Amino acid sequence: DGRGGHFVTAAIKDKDPNIRIVGIRLARQLAGTGLDVIQVAKQLVRDKSPQVRREVAIAIRHNESSEVPMLWAELAAQHDGKDRWYLEALGIAADGQWDACFAAWTEKVGKNGWKTSAGKDIAWRSRAKAAPALLAQIIKSSPEKEHPRYYRALDFHSGPEKDKALQSILLP
């Protein structure tokens, strides 16, 4: 009692990624006691273990800190395009903040950063209003065998952004 912060600090500095993950989970449990999950996330956002970074992503979900989009962008920039669990953790983390997170990521990776395998995955998983335009570009520049996946991603969007993206595909 009252020593939670001490144990979180010790855990997130451990060499074993499993212990660092426990530290993040403990920080989430203690968030109501004044422990700042964002400060813990900032220390581990560049952890060498993708499992730890996945846990960081889950920890920032629904956090109202203005630092969340930049933390999310940093995590997303480290997606390797192969780890589906990492991609899903990014999706969970951005829930309710997709537009801000996606904008921070696109700014971080630059104009063409989304054109990688990992970048296309993030656009595919995104629910941001800016994602349909990228999905349309991906569809127009990808082999036909990859199209169904990206068309299906558009099913999770609505509104004028989706309509405009579909028109850009259908009307040259």
Side-chain angles (χ1 to χ4, degrees), residues 41-120:
K42 286 166 69 173
Q43 293 178 60
L44 296 171
V45 72
R46 291 176 194 87
D47 195 277
K48 63 184 175 202
S49 166
Q51 293 85 356
V52 171
R53 293 192 313 269
R54 287 193 310 239
E55 199 66 36
V56 169
I58 300 302
I60 65 173
R61 180 179 193 227
H62 294 160
N63 190 299
E64 296 178 5
S65 168
S66 61
E67 297 183 78
V68 166
M70 293 312 293
L71 288 168
W72 189 90
E74 182 65 38
L75 292 165
Q78 295 174 78
H79 175 51
D80 65 5
K82 299 174 187 165
D83 186 342
R84 295 302 297 257
W85 292 112
Y86 195 96
L87 181 62
E88 187 56 25
L90 290 172
I92 291 167
D95 181 43
Q97 300 184 65
W98 266 113
D99 291 330
C101 290
F102 197 71
W105 172 74
T106 53
E107 184 176 320
K108 180 170 185 59
V109 299
K111 184 179 179 181
N112 294 318
W114 62 269
K115 292 182 179 180
T116 65
S117 170
K120 289 176 183 179

Side-chain angles (χ1 to χ4, degrees), residues 97-158:
Q97 300 184 65
W98 266 113
D99 291 330
C101 290
F102 197 71
W105 172 74
T106 53
E107 184 176 320
K108 180 170 185 59
V109 299
K111 184 179 179 181
N112 294 318
W114 62 269
K115 292 182 179 180
T116 65
S117 170
K120 289 176 183 179
D121 271 355
I122 291 168
W124 171 83
R125 180 60 178 87
S126 176
R127 304 301 180 254
K129 290 180 181 179
L134 289 184
L135 292 168
Q137 289 182 50
I138 292 168
I139 289 168
K140 291 190 277 186
S141 65
S142 297
E144 193 172 328
K145 66 180 181 173
E146 295 177 19
H147 290 184
R149 174 178 191 237
Y150 297 109
Y151 277 118
R152 177 71 175 117
L154 286 167
D155 287 343
F156 293 94
H157 294 273
S158 61

